Amino acid sequence: MDKSQILKHLNTANEVALETMAHGHMPFGAVLVAPDNETVLMRQGNIDTVRHAENELARRASAIYSESYLWDCTLVTTIEPCAMCAGTQYWANIGRLVYGVSEEDLKAMTGNHPDNPTMTLSSRVVLDAGQKSFHIHGPFEEVRETILEPHKSCW
């Protein structure tokens, strides 16, 4: 996936986050991109503190697509996945991850807010602990402010 494709998909994930926020949920969004690096197969917003966008997307994808197909897909998400979501991506066998903003940046914004008790545990650490070699790209400074903007009114 080249940089223009990455930024396009990050903006699409952010549109999902904004739609999710408009329906009363926290502004997190994720999309699953096909191996052609263009086609968006699925879109998912955050549901609650346990049903995160990335987690729900990975679960749905693993029920529909084969592990070998998912290995060549990319999970694109606004904010770096938490430990739970990275673990779900691992088990779903989605081989690539792209995120716009780091978990560390989100934690700096949310503090110890009860709706997002963010861990200091990078998705890279979680995915690197496994037996598969994931491709991880992020954060991207070009979309940082756009992605963080809706979060300013949440925390």
Short mmCIF file of all heavy atoms in Angstrom, two decimals, residues 71-75 89 94-99 124 127-128 132-138:
data_model
loop_
_atom_site.label_atom_id
_atom_site.label_comp_id
_atom_site.label_asym_id
_atom_site.label_seq_id
_atom_site.Cartn_x
_atom_site.Cartn_y
_atom_site.Cartn_z
N TRP A 71 -4.76 -12.70 5.55
CA TRP A 71 -3.34 -12.41 5.74
C TRP A 71 -2.85 -11.33 4.79
O TRP A 71 -1.96 -10.55 5.11
CB TRP A 71 -2.52 -13.68 5.60
CG TRP A 71 -1.09 -13.41 5.95
CD1 TRP A 71 -0.03 -13.37 5.09
CD2 TRP A 71 -0.58 -13.09 7.24
NE1 TRP A 71 1.12 -13.05 5.78
CE2 TRP A 71 0.80 -12.87 7.11
CE3 TRP A 71 -1.15 -12.96 8.51
CZ2 TRP A 71 1.62 -12.53 8.18
CZ3 TRP A 71 -0.34 -12.62 9.58
CH2 TRP A 71 1.03 -12.41 9.41
N ASP A 72 -3.48 -11.23 3.62
CA ASP A 72 -3.09 -10.23 2.62
C ASP A 72 -3.94 -8.96 2.69
O ASP A 72 -3.79 -8.08 1.85
CB ASP A 72 -3.17 -10.84 1.22
CG ASP A 72 -2.13 -11.92 1.01
OD1 ASP A 72 -1.02 -11.80 1.57
OD2 ASP A 72 -2.43 -12.90 0.30
N CYS A 73 -4.83 -8.88 3.67
CA CYS A 73 -5.66 -7.69 3.86
C CYS A 73 -5.00 -6.74 4.86
O CYS A 73 -4.05 -7.10 5.55
CB CYS A 73 -7.04 -8.09 4.39
SG CYS A 73 -8.07 -8.96 3.18
N THR A 74 -5.55 -5.53 4.94
CA THR A 74 -5.03 -4.52 5.85
C THR A 74 -6.15 -3.97 6.72
O THR A 74 -7.20 -3.56 6.20
CB THR A 74 -4.38 -3.34 5.08
OG1 THR A 74 -3.40 -3.86 4.18
CG2 THR A 74 -3.74 -2.34 6.03
N LEU A 75 -5.94 -3.96 8.03
CA LEU A 75 -6.84 -3.30 8.95
C LEU A 75 -6.33 -1.87 9.09
O LEU A 75 -5.18 -1.65 9.50
CB LEU A 75 -6.84 -4.01 10.31
CG LEU A 75 -7.91 -3.57 11.29
CD1 LEU A 75 -8.18 -4.70 12.29
CD2 LEU A 75 -7.55 -2.32 12.04
N GLN A 89 -6.82 -9.04 16.13
CA GLN A 89 -6.26 -9.00 14.78
C GLN A 89 -5.31 -10.18 14.57
O GLN A 89 -5.33 -10.82 13.53
CB GLN A 89 -5.53 -7.69 14.53
CG GLN A 89 -4.90 -7.65 13.14
CD GLN A 89 -4.20 -6.35 12.82
OE1 GLN A 89 -4.27 -5.38 13.55
NE2 GLN A 89 -3.51 -6.33 11.70
N ILE A 94 -5.26 -11.12 10.21
CA ILE A 94 -5.19 -9.96 9.30
C ILE A 94 -3.75 -9.48 9.34
O ILE A 94 -3.28 -8.95 10.34
CB ILE A 94 -6.17 -8.85 9.73
CG1 ILE A 94 -7.60 -9.40 9.74
CG2 ILE A 94 -6.05 -7.65 8.79
CD1 ILE A 94 -8.63 -8.48 10.37
N GLY A 95 -3.03 -9.67 8.25
CA GLY A 95 -1.58 -9.55 8.22
C GLY A 95 -0.99 -8.16 8.24
O GLY A 95 0.21 -8.00 8.48
N ARG A 96 -1.80 -7.15 7.97
CA ARG A 96 -1.24 -5.79 7.93
C ARG A 96 -2.10 -4.85 8.77
O ARG A 96 -3.32 -4.98 8.82
CB ARG A 96 -1.17 -5.29 6.48
CG ARG A 96 -0.21 -6.14 5.64
CD ARG A 96 -0.09 -5.65 4.23
NE ARG A 96 -1.36 -5.85 3.53
CZ ARG A 96 -1.52 -5.73 2.22
NH1 ARG A 96 -0.51 -5.40 1.46
NH2 ARG A 96 -2.69 -5.94 1.66
N LEU A 97 -1.42 -3.89 9.39
CA LEU A 97 -2.07 -2.89 10.23
C LEU A 97 -1.56 -1.51 9.83
O LEU A 97 -0.36 -1.30 9.69
CB LEU A 97 -1.75 -3.14 11.71
CG LEU A 97 -2.15 -2.05 12.70
CD1 LEU A 97 -3.66 -1.85 12.73
CD2 LEU A 97 -1.61 -2.38 14.09
N VAL A 98 -2.50 -0.58 9.67
CA VAL A 98 -2.18 0.84 9.45
C VAL A 98 -3.00 1.62 10.46
O VAL A 98 -4.20 1.41 10.58
CB VAL A 98 -2.54 1.28 8.01
CG1 VAL A 98 -2.46 2.80 7.88
CG2 VAL A 98 -1.64 0.60 6.99
N TYR A 99 -2.34 2.53 11.19
CA TYR A 99 -3.08 3.39 12.12
C TYR A 99 -2.60 4.82 11.97
O TYR A 99 -1.47 5.09 11.61
CB TYR A 99 -2.98 2.89 13.56
CG TYR A 99 -1.59 2.89 14.14
CD1 TYR A 99 -1.08 4.02 14.78
CD2 TYR A 99 -0.79 1.76 14.08
CE1 TYR A 99 0.20 4.01 15.32
CE2 TYR A 99 0.48 1.74 14.61
CZ TYR A 99 0.96 2.87 15.23
OH TYR A 99 2.23 2.86 15.76
N ARG A 124 2.37 -2.92 18.45
CA ARG A 124 3.58 -3.58 17.96
C ARG A 124 4.09 -4.61 18.97
O ARG A 124 4.50 -5.70 18.60
CB ARG A 124 4.68 -2.54 17.69
CG ARG A 124 4.52 -1.81 16.38
CD ARG A 124 5.69 -0.83 16.17
NE ARG A 124 5.70 -0.35 14.81
CZ ARG A 124 4.99 0.67 14.37
NH1 ARG A 124 4.19 1.31 15.20
NH2 ARG A 124 5.05 1.05 13.11
N LEU A 127 1.60 -7.63 18.84
CA LEU A 127 1.73 -8.43 17.62
C LEU A 127 3.11 -9.08 17.50
O LEU A 127 3.22 -10.20 17.02
CB LEU A 127 1.41 -7.58 16.39
CG LEU A 127 -0.06 -7.14 16.30
CD1 LEU A 127 -0.24 -6.12 15.17
CD2 LEU A 127 -0.98 -8.32 16.11
N ASP A 128 4.15 -8.39 17.96
CA ASP A 128 5.50 -8.97 17.92
C ASP A 128 5.67 -10.13 18.89
O ASP A 128 6.60 -10.92 18.76
CB ASP A 128 6.56 -7.90 18.19
CG ASP A 128 6.77 -6.96 17.02
OD1 ASP A 128 6.29 -7.25 15.91
OD2 ASP A 128 7.41 -5.91 17.22
N LYS A 132 3.73 -14.80 14.27
CA LYS A 132 3.51 -14.34 12.90
C LYS A 132 4.22 -13.00 12.71
O LYS A 132 4.41 -12.26 13.66
CB LYS A 132 2.01 -14.14 12.63
CG LYS A 132 1.15 -15.36 12.92
CD LYS A 132 -0.31 -14.99 12.81
CE LYS A 132 -1.22 -16.09 13.31
NZ LYS A 132 -2.63 -15.72 13.26
N SER A 133 4.59 -12.70 11.49
CA SER A 133 5.29 -11.46 11.19
C SER A 133 4.34 -10.47 10.52
O SER A 133 4.08 -10.56 9.32
CB SER A 133 6.49 -11.75 10.29
OG SER A 133 7.19 -10.56 10.02
N PHE A 134 3.82 -9.53 11.29
CA PHE A 134 2.86 -8.54 10.80
C PHE A 134 3.58 -7.34 10.20
O PHE A 134 4.69 -7.00 10.63
CB PHE A 134 1.95 -8.07 11.94
CG PHE A 134 0.94 -9.09 12.34
CD1 PHE A 134 1.28 -10.13 13.19
CD2 PHE A 134 -0.35 -9.04 11.85
CE1 PHE A 134 0.36 -11.09 13.56
CE2 PHE A 134 -1.29 -10.00 12.21
CZ PHE A 134 -0.93 -11.02 13.06
N HIS A 135 2.92 -6.69 9.25
CA HIS A 135 3.40 -5.43 8.69
C HIS A 135 2.60 -4.32 9.37
O HIS A 135 1.37 -4.29 9.25
CB HIS A 135 3.20 -5.39 7.18
CG HIS A 135 3.94 -6.46 6.47
ND1 HIS A 135 5.28 -6.37 6.18
CD2 HIS A 135 3.54 -7.67 6.01
CE1 HIS A 135 5.67 -7.47 5.56
NE2 HIS A 135 4.63 -8.29 5.45
N ILE A 136 3.29 -3.42 10.08
CA ILE A 136 2.63 -2.37 10.85
C ILE A 136 3.15 -1.01 10.38
O ILE A 136 4.36 -0.80 10.32
CB ILE A 136 2.89 -2.55 12.36
CG1 ILE A 136 2.46 -3.94 12.81
CG2 ILE A 136 2.17 -1.47 13.16
CD1 ILE A 136 2.92 -4.32 14.21
N HIS A 137 2.21 -0.10 10.08
CA HIS A 137 2.57 1.24 9.63
C HIS A 137 1.77 2.27 10.41
O HIS A 137 0.56 2.20 10.50
CB HIS A 137 2.28 1.40 8.13
CG HIS A 137 2.94 0.36 7.30
ND1 HIS A 137 4.28 0.40 6.97
CD2 HIS A 137 2.45 -0.78 6.76
CE1 HIS A 137 4.58 -0.66 6.25
NE2 HIS A 137 3.49 -1.40 6.12
N GLY A 138 2.45 3.22 10.99
CA GLY A 138 1.80 4.29 11.74
C GLY A 138 2.71 4.75 12.84
O GLY A 138 3.69 4.06 13.18
#
